[in-house]
Tab-separated table of all heavy atoms in Angstrom:
chain	number	residue	atom	x	y	z
A	1	ARG	N	12.431	10.302	-14.011
A	1	ARG	CA	12.434	9.290	-14.982
A	1	ARG	C	12.004	7.979	-14.209
A	1	ARG	O	12.039	7.918	-12.865
A	1	ARG	CB	14.013	8.983	-15.302
A	1	ARG	CG	14.957	8.856	-14.034
A	1	ARG	CD	16.409	8.411	-14.473
A	1	ARG	NE	17.065	8.089	-13.259
A	1	ARG	CZ	17.834	8.803	-12.546
A	1	ARG	NH1	18.107	10.047	-12.981
A	1	ARG	NH2	18.573	8.473	-11.464
A	2	GLY	N	11.556	7.067	-15.124
A	2	GLY	CA	10.965	5.872	-14.525
A	2	GLY	C	11.947	5.074	-13.648
A	2	GLY	O	13.149	5.210	-13.873
A	3	ALA	N	11.494	4.337	-12.657
A	3	ALA	CA	12.299	3.501	-11.772
A	3	ALA	C	11.569	2.214	-11.352
A	3	ALA	O	10.365	2.186	-11.377
A	3	ALA	CB	12.763	4.352	-10.613
A	4	HIS	N	12.462	1.326	-10.804
A	4	HIS	CA	11.836	0.206	-10.057
A	4	HIS	C	11.851	0.462	-8.602
A	4	HIS	O	12.879	0.634	-8.093
A	4	HIS	CB	12.704	-1.031	-10.363
A	4	HIS	CG	11.961	-2.322	-10.290
A	4	HIS	ND1	11.718	-3.039	-11.493
A	4	HIS	CD2	11.438	-2.890	-9.286
A	4	HIS	CE1	11.050	-4.145	-10.956
A	4	HIS	NE2	10.880	-4.010	-9.775
A	5	ILE	N	10.691	0.654	-8.005
A	5	ILE	CA	10.606	1.018	-6.629
A	5	ILE	C	9.953	-0.051	-5.660
A	5	ILE	O	8.864	-0.480	-6.103
A	5	ILE	CB	9.669	2.279	-6.394
A	5	ILE	CG1	10.308	3.512	-7.288
A	5	ILE	CG2	9.651	2.715	-4.975
A	5	ILE	CD1	9.458	4.778	-7.321
A	6	THR	N	10.766	-0.490	-4.826
A	6	THR	CA	10.204	-1.634	-3.843
A	6	THR	C	10.326	-0.789	-2.529
A	6	THR	O	11.408	-0.535	-2.031
A	6	THR	CB	11.023	-2.736	-3.787
A	6	THR	OG1	11.129	-3.203	-5.155
A	6	THR	CG2	10.388	-3.866	-2.988
A	7	THR	N	9.171	-0.578	-1.859
A	7	THR	CA	9.201	0.091	-0.503
A	7	THR	C	9.445	-0.954	0.561
A	7	THR	O	9.135	-2.133	0.405
A	7	THR	CB	7.799	0.841	-0.278
A	7	THR	OG1	6.804	-0.194	-0.517
A	7	THR	CG2	7.620	2.075	-1.110
A	8	ASP	N	9.960	-0.418	1.652
A	8	ASP	CA	10.267	-1.337	2.775
A	8	ASP	C	9.015	-1.778	3.561
A	8	ASP	O	9.064	-2.797	4.184
A	8	ASP	CB	11.248	-0.576	3.867
A	8	ASP	CG	12.414	-0.052	3.322
A	8	ASP	OD1	12.839	-0.449	2.276
A	8	ASP	OD2	12.980	0.971	3.857
A	9	MET	N	7.925	-1.018	3.369
A	9	MET	CA	6.740	-1.414	3.917
A	9	MET	C	5.575	-1.020	2.942
A	9	MET	O	5.885	-0.265	2.148
A	9	MET	CB	6.541	-0.685	5.291
A	9	MET	CG	6.782	0.801	5.030
A	9	MET	SD	7.067	1.709	6.517
A	9	MET	CE	5.542	2.393	6.872
A	10	VAL	N	4.333	-1.619	3.199
A	10	VAL	CA	3.376	-1.259	2.324
A	10	VAL	C	2.775	0.142	2.879
A	10	VAL	O	2.547	0.431	3.989
A	10	VAL	CB	2.070	-2.156	2.476
A	10	VAL	CG1	0.882	-1.646	1.664
A	10	VAL	CG2	2.565	-3.479	1.984
A	11	THR	N	2.831	1.066	1.858
A	11	THR	CA	2.488	2.437	2.192
A	11	THR	C	1.407	3.027	1.232
A	11	THR	O	1.696	3.066	-0.023
A	11	THR	CB	3.633	3.538	2.349
A	11	THR	OG1	3.155	4.850	2.125
A	11	THR	CG2	4.758	3.139	1.392
A	12	VAL	N	0.287	3.397	1.722
A	12	VAL	CA	-0.829	3.822	0.895
A	12	VAL	C	-0.524	5.157	0.179
A	12	VAL	O	-0.415	5.311	-1.017
A	12	VAL	CB	-2.108	3.827	1.716
A	12	VAL	CG1	-3.244	4.585	0.692
A	12	VAL	CG2	-2.611	2.533	2.125
A	13	THR	N	-0.112	6.095	1.040
A	13	THR	CA	0.213	7.462	0.474
A	13	THR	C	1.511	7.375	-0.368
A	13	THR	O	1.566	8.093	-1.300
A	13	THR	CB	0.369	8.531	1.601
A	13	THR	OG1	1.191	7.989	2.576
A	13	THR	CG2	-0.979	8.874	2.214
A	14	GLY	N	2.387	6.472	0.001
A	14	GLY	CA	3.599	6.440	-0.818
A	14	GLY	C	3.239	5.965	-2.183
A	14	GLY	O	3.717	6.485	-3.304
A	15	THR	N	2.430	4.766	-2.254
A	15	THR	CA	1.992	4.246	-3.581
A	15	THR	C	1.284	5.307	-4.273
A	15	THR	O	1.569	5.450	-5.622
A	15	THR	CB	0.996	2.971	-3.326
A	15	THR	OG1	1.687	2.165	-2.568
A	15	THR	CG2	0.623	2.434	-4.606
A	16	GLU	N	0.417	6.135	-3.742
A	16	GLU	CA	-0.282	7.187	-4.532
A	16	GLU	C	0.615	8.214	-5.018
A	16	GLU	O	0.423	8.678	-6.089
A	16	GLU	CB	-1.283	7.801	-3.535
A	16	GLU	CG	-2.440	6.837	-3.179
A	16	GLU	CD	-3.309	7.203	-2.053
A	16	GLU	OE1	-2.914	8.001	-1.172
A	16	GLU	OE2	-4.473	6.616	-1.788
A	17	ASN	N	1.654	8.635	-4.145
A	17	ASN	CA	2.616	9.707	-4.592
A	17	ASN	C	3.367	9.147	-5.756
A	17	ASN	O	3.580	9.951	-6.845
A	17	ASN	CB	3.606	9.932	-3.465
A	17	ASN	CG	3.536	11.324	-3.115
A	17	ASN	OD1	3.191	12.305	-3.937
A	17	ASN	ND2	4.001	11.756	-1.889
A	18	PHE	N	3.810	7.843	-5.761
A	18	PHE	CA	4.665	7.357	-6.875
A	18	PHE	C	3.796	7.186	-8.167
A	18	PHE	O	4.217	7.474	-9.252
A	18	PHE	CB	5.247	5.970	-6.563
A	18	PHE	CG	6.070	6.027	-5.245
A	18	PHE	CD1	6.095	5.085	-4.386
A	18	PHE	CD2	6.691	7.199	-4.831
A	18	PHE	CE1	6.805	5.032	-3.107
A	18	PHE	CE2	7.456	7.320	-3.643
A	18	PHE	CZ	7.597	6.183	-2.871
A	19	LEU	N	2.550	6.770	-7.928
A	19	LEU	CA	1.580	6.626	-9.059
A	19	LEU	C	1.538	8.028	-9.815
A	19	LEU	O	1.596	8.096	-11.030
A	19	LEU	CB	0.126	6.263	-8.624
A	19	LEU	CG	-0.316	4.876	-8.690
A	19	LEU	CD1	-1.758	4.782	-8.245
A	19	LEU	CD2	-0.291	4.378	-10.151
A	20	MET	N	1.229	9.038	-8.973
A	20	MET	CA	1.011	10.393	-9.725
A	20	MET	C	2.397	10.907	-10.212
A	20	MET	O	2.392	11.430	-11.408
A	20	MET	CB	0.534	11.327	-8.644
A	20	MET	CG	-0.905	11.062	-8.124
A	20	MET	SD	-1.580	12.294	-7.091
A	20	MET	CE	-0.882	11.973	-5.514
A	21	ALA	N	3.460	10.592	-9.555
A	21	ALA	CA	4.735	11.061	-10.178
A	21	ALA	C	5.188	10.256	-11.377
A	21	ALA	O	5.651	10.965	-12.426
A	21	ALA	CB	5.854	10.887	-9.168
A	22	ALA	N	4.836	9.036	-11.395
A	22	ALA	CA	5.196	8.143	-12.575
A	22	ALA	C	4.395	8.372	-13.796
A	22	ALA	O	4.903	8.138	-14.875
A	22	ALA	CB	5.114	6.741	-12.099
A	23	ALA	N	3.177	8.969	-13.530
A	23	ALA	CA	2.371	9.156	-14.691
A	23	ALA	C	3.025	10.200	-15.769
A	23	ALA	O	2.834	10.104	-16.931
A	23	ALA	CB	1.038	9.726	-14.248
A	24	LEU	N	3.782	11.154	-15.227
A	24	LEU	CA	4.428	12.062	-16.194
A	24	LEU	C	5.948	11.861	-16.255
A	24	LEU	O	6.713	12.657	-16.899
A	24	LEU	CB	4.206	13.479	-15.563
A	24	LEU	CG	2.821	14.136	-15.828
A	24	LEU	CD1	2.737	15.489	-15.165
A	24	LEU	CD2	2.421	14.155	-17.317
A	25	ALA	N	6.500	10.790	-15.721
A	25	ALA	CA	7.885	10.466	-15.852
A	25	ALA	C	8.229	9.893	-17.073
A	25	ALA	O	7.441	9.542	-17.861
A	25	ALA	CB	8.281	9.437	-14.594
A	26	GLU	N	9.567	10.011	-17.344
A	26	GLU	CA	10.148	9.417	-18.673
A	26	GLU	C	10.350	7.992	-18.452
A	26	GLU	O	11.013	7.532	-17.546
A	26	GLU	CB	11.405	10.147	-18.907
A	26	GLU	CG	11.718	10.419	-20.333
A	26	GLU	CD	12.977	11.237	-20.496
A	26	GLU	OE1	12.991	12.447	-20.039
A	26	GLU	OE2	13.951	10.877	-20.924
A	27	GLY	N	9.686	7.150	-19.422
A	27	GLY	CA	9.890	5.623	-19.241
A	27	GLY	C	8.980	5.007	-18.410
A	27	GLY	O	7.981	5.566	-17.843
A	28	GLU	N	9.324	3.764	-17.960
A	28	GLU	CA	8.611	2.886	-17.201
A	28	GLU	C	8.810	2.973	-15.739
A	28	GLU	O	10.019	2.900	-15.414
A	28	GLU	CB	8.617	1.410	-17.666
A	28	GLU	CG	7.693	0.372	-16.886
A	28	GLU	CD	7.768	-0.992	-17.435
A	28	GLU	OE1	8.873	-1.672	-17.158
A	28	GLU	OE2	6.863	-1.511	-18.061
A	29	THR	N	7.774	2.945	-14.844
A	29	THR	CA	8.028	2.866	-13.382
A	29	THR	C	7.179	1.547	-13.009
A	29	THR	O	6.050	1.328	-13.351
A	29	THR	CB	7.447	4.012	-12.668
A	29	THR	OG1	8.197	5.226	-13.150
A	29	THR	CG2	7.622	3.871	-11.185
A	30	VAL	N	7.832	0.762	-12.171
A	30	VAL	CA	7.294	-0.480	-11.565
A	30	VAL	C	7.317	-0.345	-10.051
A	30	VAL	O	8.222	-0.041	-9.444
A	30	VAL	CB	8.032	-1.824	-11.935
A	30	VAL	CG1	7.420	-3.065	-11.283
A	30	VAL	CG2	8.132	-1.904	-13.494
A	31	LEU	N	6.142	-0.413	-9.469
A	31	LEU	CA	5.894	-0.329	-7.998
A	31	LEU	C	5.806	-1.704	-7.564
A	31	LEU	O	4.747	-2.319	-7.897
A	31	LEU	CB	4.780	0.632	-7.618
A	31	LEU	CG	4.662	2.076	-8.314
A	31	LEU	CD1	3.510	2.754	-7.785
A	31	LEU	CD2	5.998	2.786	-7.847
A	32	GLU	N	6.683	-2.140	-6.675
A	32	GLU	CA	6.590	-3.526	-6.032
A	32	GLU	C	6.114	-3.180	-4.540
A	32	GLU	O	6.397	-2.092	-3.993
A	32	GLU	CB	8.063	-4.111	-5.931
A	32	GLU	CG	8.551	-4.478	-7.334
A	32	GLU	CD	8.197	-5.755	-7.944
A	32	GLU	OE1	7.331	-6.509	-7.408
A	32	GLU	OE2	8.768	-6.225	-8.874
A	33	ASN	N	5.391	-4.180	-3.944
A	33	ASN	CA	4.911	-4.118	-2.621
A	33	ASN	C	4.001	-2.952	-2.484
A	33	ASN	O	3.923	-2.193	-1.536
A	33	ASN	CB	6.148	-3.843	-1.630
A	33	ASN	CG	5.767	-4.272	-0.146
A	33	ASN	OD1	4.819	-4.985	0.017
A	33	ASN	ND2	6.439	-3.738	0.826
A	34	ALA	N	3.275	-2.653	-3.703
A	34	ALA	CA	2.248	-1.656	-3.700
A	34	ALA	C	1.042	-1.784	-2.801
A	34	ALA	O	0.623	-3.026	-2.552
A	34	ALA	CB	1.816	-1.338	-5.119
A	35	ALA	N	0.523	-0.753	-2.188
A	35	ALA	CA	-0.664	-0.894	-1.435
A	35	ALA	C	-1.884	-1.252	-2.346
A	35	ALA	O	-1.939	-0.856	-3.556
A	35	ALA	CB	-0.945	0.426	-0.663
A	36	GLN	N	-2.840	-1.949	-1.733
A	36	GLN	CA	-3.910	-2.495	-2.659
A	36	GLN	C	-5.220	-1.956	-2.221
A	36	GLN	O	-6.380	-2.476	-2.792
A	36	GLN	CB	-4.040	-4.010	-2.592
A	36	GLN	CG	-2.673	-4.667	-3.059
A	36	GLN	CD	-2.613	-6.194	-2.931
A	36	GLN	OE1	-3.496	-6.918	-3.383
A	36	GLN	NE2	-1.501	-6.648	-2.384
A	37	GLU	N	-5.313	-1.104	-1.291
A	37	GLU	CA	-6.611	-0.482	-0.833
A	37	GLU	C	-7.514	0.070	-2.004
A	37	GLU	O	-6.844	0.528	-2.970
A	37	GLU	CB	-6.375	0.658	0.173
A	37	GLU	CG	-6.069	0.211	1.652
A	37	GLU	CD	-4.712	-0.322	1.861
A	37	GLU	OE1	-3.916	-0.678	0.950
A	37	GLU	OE2	-4.531	-0.671	3.105
A	38	PRO	N	-8.864	-0.034	-1.962
A	38	PRO	CA	-9.639	0.330	-3.003
A	38	PRO	C	-9.378	1.917	-3.502
A	38	PRO	O	-9.712	2.081	-4.635
A	38	PRO	CB	-11.093	0.206	-2.508
A	38	PRO	CG	-11.015	-0.708	-1.272
A	38	PRO	CD	-9.562	-0.563	-0.635
A	39	GLU	N	-8.777	2.530	-2.589
A	39	GLU	CA	-8.614	4.051	-3.036
A	39	GLU	C	-7.547	4.150	-4.010
A	39	GLU	O	-7.444	5.130	-4.738
A	39	GLU	CB	-8.296	4.845	-1.760
A	39	GLU	CG	-9.387	4.859	-0.750
A	39	GLU	CD	-9.658	3.782	0.247
A	39	GLU	OE1	-8.724	2.965	0.314
A	39	GLU	OE2	-10.693	3.645	0.725
A	40	ILE	N	-6.664	3.083	-4.044
A	40	ILE	CA	-5.489	3.164	-5.028
A	40	ILE	C	-6.082	2.905	-6.506
A	40	ILE	O	-5.753	3.731	-7.287
A	40	ILE	CB	-4.473	2.117	-4.690
A	40	ILE	CG1	-3.939	2.348	-3.231
A	40	ILE	CG2	-3.402	2.074	-5.680
A	40	ILE	CD1	-2.851	3.219	-2.987
A	41	PRO	N	-6.802	1.834	-6.695
A	41	PRO	CA	-7.261	1.659	-8.116
A	41	PRO	C	-8.240	2.848	-8.468
A	41	PRO	O	-8.251	3.335	-9.660
A	41	PRO	CB	-7.964	0.325	-7.994
A	41	PRO	CG	-7.883	-0.277	-6.665
A	41	PRO	CD	-7.015	0.626	-5.903
A	42	ASP	N	-8.974	3.435	-7.428
A	42	ASP	CA	-9.773	4.513	-7.856
A	42	ASP	C	-8.998	5.803	-8.299
A	42	ASP	O	-9.261	6.352	-9.314
A	42	ASP	CB	-10.575	4.974	-6.614
A	42	ASP	CG	-11.798	5.913	-6.898
A	42	ASP	OD1	-12.560	5.505	-7.732
A	42	ASP	OD2	-11.964	7.051	-6.424
A	43	LEU	N	-7.850	6.019	-7.677
A	43	LEU	CA	-6.924	7.131	-8.119
A	43	LEU	C	-6.387	6.619	-9.493
A	43	LEU	O	-6.261	7.531	-10.383
A	43	LEU	CB	-5.699	7.248	-7.004
A	43	LEU	CG	-4.633	8.165	-7.579
A	43	LEU	CD1	-5.001	9.670	-7.735
A	43	LEU	CD2	-3.469	8.169	-6.589
A	44	ALA	N	-5.947	5.489	-9.612
A	44	ALA	CA	-5.449	5.045	-10.883
A	44	ALA	C	-6.420	5.189	-11.931
A	44	ALA	O	-6.090	5.632	-13.133
A	44	ALA	CB	-5.014	3.501	-10.839
A	45	GLU	N	-7.687	4.796	-11.738
A	45	GLU	CA	-8.731	4.969	-12.777
A	45	GLU	C	-8.818	6.488	-13.179
A	45	GLU	O	-9.050	6.878	-14.229
A	45	GLU	CB	-10.133	4.502	-12.336
A	45	GLU	CG	-10.109	3.076	-12.205
A	45	GLU	CD	-9.940	2.265	-13.435
A	45	GLU	OE1	-10.262	2.786	-14.573
A	45	GLU	OE2	-9.276	1.104	-13.444
A	46	MET	N	-8.820	7.395	-12.201
A	46	MET	CA	-8.873	8.824	-12.514
A	46	MET	C	-7.649	9.153	-13.380
A	46	MET	O	-7.802	9.972	-14.397
A	46	MET	CB	-8.672	9.686	-11.195
A	46	MET	CG	-8.683	11.128	-11.425
A	46	MET	SD	-8.603	11.981	-9.862
A	46	MET	CE	-8.147	13.577	-10.548
A	47	LEU	N	-6.464	8.730	-12.989
A	47	LEU	CA	-5.229	9.093	-13.806
A	47	LEU	C	-5.399	8.519	-15.286
A	47	LEU	O	-4.939	9.229	-16.294
A	47	LEU	CB	-3.877	8.516	-13.085
A	47	LEU	CG	-3.585	9.297	-11.775
A	47	LEU	CD1	-2.530	8.477	-11.101
A	47	LEU	CD2	-3.168	10.620	-11.984
A	48	ILE	N	-5.957	7.287	-15.407
A	48	ILE	CA	-6.107	6.642	-16.701
A	48	ILE	C	-7.161	7.631	-17.535
A	48	ILE	O	-6.810	7.828	-18.701
A	48	ILE	CB	-6.588	5.257	-16.578
A	48	ILE	CG1	-5.458	4.400	-16.080
A	48	ILE	CG2	-7.122	4.628	-17.890
A	48	ILE	CD1	-5.943	3.004	-15.609
């Protein structure tokens, strides 16, 4: 299920894992303190 996730630190692989999991979750997920490396939007574009 969707959740509001704020990580204690900026984590690239964490952000990626949550992105992938949230794509099929029920409802809305909000990731705060998400990593911003270019590889993240690239993965997001693939998921879109």
Side-chain angles (χ1 to χ4, degrees):
R1 57 171 189 265
H4 206 112
I5 300 172
T6 307
T7 50
D8 302 338
M9 55 199 258
V10 175
T11 156
V12 175
T13 50
T15 303
E16 290 165 343
N17 236 337
F18 306 145
L19 258 182
M20 293 188 279
L24 287 179
E26 215 170 296
E28 180 180 74
T29 301
V30 179
L31 304 180
E32 300 267 13
N33 203 21
Q36 299 174 51
E37 277 73 356
E39 295 79 20
I40 303 272
D42 196 57
L43 169 65
E45 290 299 331
M46 173 184 171
L47 293 170
I48 290 166

